[in-house]
Amino acid sequence: IYEGNKTVLEKGVWRMPEKGRPYDIDKPTVLAAHRWGLETLTNEYRSKHLFYKLPDLRPGDEINIIWDNIDYKYKIVTVEESENVSRLTDLILITCKYFDSPVRIFVYAQKI
């Protein structure tokens, strides 16, 4: 998970800086990543560093994030396609649905 401005999206998953970190209880952690990235990237790289397979997640699936050597566990409550965030949960994952489109895939999860 990269911190900084959104130019780090070319490397992988970016934590939106105005949002929370996993240990924050008053702000959601919002992570965004390209789904495909540059055309020169392999599917193996996409699978490991981007949100290429994010649309495969379903409610009930679990997500683990290691942050400052602490394992934070989340359970997905819903997956939506939209242009905007529709709810606030402890963790929100965001990626593009298509290569060039305003439609995003949003995964909403709660800490467990």
Side-chain angles (χ1 to χ4, degrees):
I1 299 173
Y2 294 95
E3 303 238 71
N5 64 40
K6 68 180 182 176
T7 60
V8 299
L9 279 168
E10 294 306 321
K11 297 179 186 179
V13 178
W14 171 56
R15 186 191 67 83
M16 293 184 172
E18 68 278 5
K19 305 303 180 191
R21 291 175 175 85
Y23 53 78
D24 290 326
I25 58 171
D26 59 338
K27 291 194 257 183
T29 301
V30 181
L31 304 177
H34 287 301
R35 189 162 168 209
W36 291 279
L38 301 172
E39 293 177 0
T40 57
L41 298 177
T42 65
N43 285 347
E44 180 181 357
Y45 183 91
R46 290 178 176 119
S47 293
K48 291 181 179 180
H49 301 282
L50 305 179
F51 280 169
Y52 183 64
K53 294 188 176 189
L54 196 71
D56 297 340
L57 296 176
R58 299 289 176 254
D61 289 348
E62 292 185 8
I63 299 169
N64 289 50
I65 295 177
I66 308 292
W67 191 275
D68 290 336
N69 295 316
I70 298 172
D71 188 5
Y72 295 89
K73 297 176 190 279
Y74 301 85
K75 185 174 278 193
I76 296 173
V77 293
T78 191
V79 179
E80 295 178 351
E81 293 179 11
S82 177
E83 292 185 23
N84 299 299
V85 170
S86 68
R87 66 189 71 216
L88 293 179
T89 54
D90 295 327
L91 176 66
I92 302 170
L93 307 178
I94 305 170
T95 196
C96 300
K97 177 172 178 154
Y98 303 111
F99 190 78
D100 186 20
S101 166
V103 177
R104 303 285 181 256
I105 298 168
F106 295 94
V107 174
Y108 300 94
Q110 292 296 132
K111 281 184 187 168
I112 51 174

